[in-house]
Amino acid sequence: PARPHKEAASAVVRRSDGRILIAQRPERGMLAGLWEFPGAYRVRGESLPACCARGVREEVGLTVKVGGKLAEVRHAYSHFSVTMHIFAAGRVTGKPRALGCVAWKWVRPGELAEFPFPRVFGPMIFKLQESRSKQTAKGKLQTASKRQTANRT
């Protein structure tokens, strides 16, 4: 028999300092204790951005403005498959609280690999770390270029 398919939306919520919000799943149930970008399974008639905003509100108590889609990942579990839609989001109101999760943290992109995540988030974590590496390299090049220009004068 065919596996049921679910649609889900998660948010990469960034602070102004570049840190990203992650939430730890409850200790019981599927993927217990793993970390994730907050989100939810989509309900009938709900848009993906609305699902994303609802998931963040239910998990960590923040109201967010959902931006563009960062990734779309398909993944098959033993008893269902999922398409995870991952959006950029910015905090509008609220402070994080553990509502639908057991813990939350603001982490640097380079720290994401230190936390166990479900496989469905792997491509997004890689993308966030890769873009951080490029930004760091670009910053170092700009700094070196400024030093060279200063040394010439």
Side-chain angles (χ1 to χ4, degrees):
R3 274 182 254 190
H5 184 77
K6 298 179 180 185
E7 298 278 328
S10 288
V12 174
V13 182
R14 280 188 189 259
R15 281 194 325 200
S16 58
D17 66 2
R19 289 179 188 249
I20 296 166
L21 183 67
I22 61 173
Q24 189 175 26
R25 295 178 65 89
E27 293 299 323
R28 288 192 176 149
M30 192 169 139
L31 307 173
L34 297 182
W35 291 82
E36 63 186 359
F37 301 113
Y41 287 110
R42 184 172 163 178
V43 295
R44 187 181 303 257
E46 185 177 41
S47 73
L48 288 166
C51 171
C52 183
R54 175 180 56 80
V56 174
R57 193 173 51 253
E58 291 175 354
E59 270 192 64
V60 293
L62 293 181
T63 299
V64 295
K65 179 176 181 180
V66 178
K69 190 185 286 190
L70 299 173
E72 185 175 309
V73 182
R74 293 182 67 89
H75 186 73
Y77 293 101
S78 58
H79 53 292
F80 72 94
S81 63
V82 65
T83 300
M84 178 65 70
H85 304 269
I86 304 172
F87 292 87
R91 180 173 55 171
V92 176
T93 61
K95 290 190 178 196
R97 301 185 313 271
L99 300 175
C101 61
V102 294
W104 58 269
K105 285 182 182 273
W106 290 104
V107 299
R108 291 182 181 92
E111 296 171 324
L112 289 167
E114 297 171 22
F115 297 87
F117 276 79
R119 283 190 181 157
V120 71
F121 290 112
M124 188 69 244
I125 290 169
F126 179 77
K127 194 180 213 182
L128 288 166
Q129 291 177 324
E130 187 178 57
S131 69
R132 181 191 169 274
S133 295
K134 286 178 184 174
Q135 288 171 350
T136 302
K138 185 178 175 185
K140 286 178 181 173
L141 283 172
Q142 289 173 342
T143 302
S145 176
K146 285 177 187 173
R147 265 194 244 118
Q148 288 174 348
T149 303
N151 290 338
R152 285 190 206 131
T153 53

